[in-house]
Structures are given as structure tokens and as C-alpha cells.
Amino acid sequence: MAPLSKWCVVSNAPLPDLAALAAHAEPGALHVYHRGPEGAALPGEAPFVLDVGTLRAEADGTRDPMTSSTLRVDADAVVVRISGLNEDPVHYAVNRMRGLFAYFTDLFLAPLVLPGLGLPVEMTGTAVGHACGTLLRGVSRLPHSSVHRTRYEGGHWRTETGDLHDPLRDFREPHRTDPAAAGEAQLDALTAEIERIDSTTPAGTGYATLLSGGIDSGTVTYLAATAGLSVTPYSVGTPWGDELADAAELCAELGIGLEAVHLTEDDIIASIPEAVRWLGVTEPEVVEVALTATSVQRLGAVPADRTLLTGYGSDLINAGLYRPFAHHHELIDQVLSAVDRTRRSNELSGRMALAHGTGVHHPFWSWPVMRVALETAPECKVREGREKYHLRTAMGRRVPEPIAWRKKIAVHHGGGLQDGVARRLEKETGSTDREPVYRACFAELLDRSARGELEPVDPPDLFERALGRVRFR
């Protein structure tokens, strides 16, 4: 089934280009445009609160401020609270001369929003360089751990902003210093998170995992299977390589089958525009990390009625991609910086899954699991030249040593994906710089959004047109 983007816009200006695409409400002086998931609707009257991640109405004050951003709409005010993790973005644009503003949850709505505010739609000349930056002039991404209030007062709209406590500041001195105990604590937290996910899904739900040969997806698959969930692992192969044999080894240990997913080079390349579409960024590393999951989602390789569990996020919180360091505080900085970068990259956003109507969860990226990992000392995470030492130690008590201690391969390196994509793009453009191709995809998507095409209808054609922009610039 083709994806359908889900989003919300709150503005003090009528935005007629959105009216035909979404439900429209006018609580007092505001206009709200909402296109939510099936069964979600705007409440009949203000005030109401929307969860930014799910785009469903929630009771005020019921969401975790670390993981859930919210939009509260009153007749003459809007309050946006941005979570500590800031996974799902909220964007803001304002024309101060005319007193018009808009908050919106999808960057590619800008061509339909900015003209209504009397603002131009222009891409920036450089990549995003700061916490509030986007690829569009005059559009900011609201920063993590913040609150923004815009209200009508004294005949004018006034906006106030404030910073909330950033919980990452609390993890400068990790206290879990025993690798085995820290690993067990993380497995306990992961088990609890998987049980929580299962408790919130309909009875009889089937599960899937994206299983590579690594410890992260292997741990999630192991815990889901041993918890009694009906789980089917899927392992992705590309023309440049695969980890099918490694994945099959764990499945044999668990006594469950493995489904192989074979992606062609063209499958992966055609997924680039959709990866850019749901990310809203063009940094090569971020786009390429997303390509496997985007290809699987775009091609329907995993049945839509299965809830997908991934190992994403573990590399970031468990020092999976650490750089050489001289002092343990340097590794703490690396881990905290890696988590902080996700608060701008959108790589753990749920927008793609929401558009496809599928259930996707990243158990390592739940706050209780993250908290345990951030409380774990560097000497537990990296020891004897091995990353994720604590997690491997704990899993080594459950699975054979070769499975628990297999050499680390990053998600976008597994199967040779990143190198293969780089070679293809160099062949197409004559350049080793991949970002211009991703920026050209962004520009093509933006032009189509201006015509009301908010989803990539023909990704291969879109990609070819993006290549044309790069070749003839």
C-alpha cells in the first residue's frame, strides 16, 4: 500500500492549500489542520492536546516529557512542549511583520504553509549546521527540552520560549562499573520494554525483527523469542553482501525460521528519495543508515500486520561505534554527543512507519533502557578492544560465544550497503560527494510538495530527476 503522510499544522492564518488534504478546525482564532492515523480525529472543541509522535489526542499531562512532545491548542493560544529526545520534529515559521505564524510537524508541508504566511520557500545554501536549523530558510526545528507558547494578548500574538531540564546532563558520572551486572540490567530493561510493547498491541499480534549478524538485533530477537512472542526474523541481503549465515546461526539456536530479504541495487537506490522524504535531512551518514529499513518498508518486505522490532539505537548508547580515547570521560562525551545528534537528525522518528500504517519499535531507544546504558561506565562498554563488552558478556550467558562476540558491523555497512551506494552514485555523477544527490532529492520532493504531492509517487523517476539536477547544475 502506498504511504500517506500524517501531520498536523497549527497557525493563526488560513492555509487553503491544506484544506483539501486534512481535517480542518477553527478553535477560536487558530486554524488546525490534522491528518492523523486511522481512527484519530481532532476533539470537538478546545482545549485539546495532541501527541506529536502519534498525532492522537491525549489527556493533558499524561505523557513522559523525556519521550513525548505535545501540542496544546486553546482558543487563543498554542503551547508546544518538546521532549528530551526530540525524535519527531515540530517546525516553526513566523512572519513578524504581519504577525503570522505556524507550527507544523512535517517539513515538506512548507511549500503549502509558508505562502500563507507571506514567506518565500527557499532552500539554504549549506547543510544544517545548528540545533534549530533546517534546509529551508525561515523554518526552524524546535529544540529538545523546550517549551514554546504563542498566545493572543492585547491585540497581538506574542511568543515566549523557555528551556526545560536536559536529562542528558545527569549522566556525566556513570555509576554502573561491573560489566556483567550492567549487561544484565540492560537485558532486564529491554525485556520489560518488549513486554510493555506486547501489552499495548492487540492479542495475537505477530512480530518481526530485522536480524543482522550483530549483537543488537540479535539481542532483541532473542529476548522477543524467549518471551514467547510469535516472532519472525528477516535478514536483508544486497548485491554487495549479506549476513544471512550469521543471522541463521542465532535462529537455529532459538529454533525459529529465518526469512531472507534480497534487495537489488535498484531497490536500494530507488529508496533514497523516500529516505530523504521521511528524514527531512540530507547528511549522507543519516540517509544511508536509514536505507535498509526504508527499502524494507517501501517494498513491503515485512508483512504490514507484523509489528517490527529493531536493534536501532544500541550503537549510540552502548559505544558501538566508538573512536579511540585516552580518558574515560572522552568516551562519555562520545556517547552523550551521539545521543544528542539524534535530536536533530530525525533518524529515530516514527514518521515513515506512521505513513505506511505499520508498527515499528526500537526497544534500545526506550528511556528506561537508555537510562541503564547511560548509567554504565565506559570501562564496561569498551574493554579488551571490544565494544559493547557489557552487553556481550550478558548475552554470552545465553547464546554460544561466537554469536555473542561476533565482530561488529555497522547497520549501513552490513551487506556492503554504504560502499555499494557510494560506488553507484559516483558512477552516476562522477563525484564521490554524495550529499548533492541527497539535496537534489530534497529539492525535487519540495517542488512536488508544492503541487500537493506529499508522498514519493514514483521514486525511480524522482531519483532520475534529482540526478539531472546534479549533472546539469
Side-chain angles (χ1 to χ4, degrees), residues 146-163:
S146 62
V147 59
H148 306 258
R149 298 179 177 88
T150 301
R151 66 183 186 277
Y152 193 70
E153 183 180 85
H156 301 282
W157 288 94
R158 304 179 186 277
T159 297
E160 301 171 345
T161 63
D163 294 330

Side-chain angles (χ1 to χ4, degrees), residues 122-128 134-137 282 435 439 473:
E122 299 174 340
M123 286 185 63
T124 61
T126 59
V128 178
T134 72
L135 288 167
L136 297 178
R137 296 189 190 281
T282 59
E435 183 152 10
R439 284 180 61 86
R473 62 179 179 171

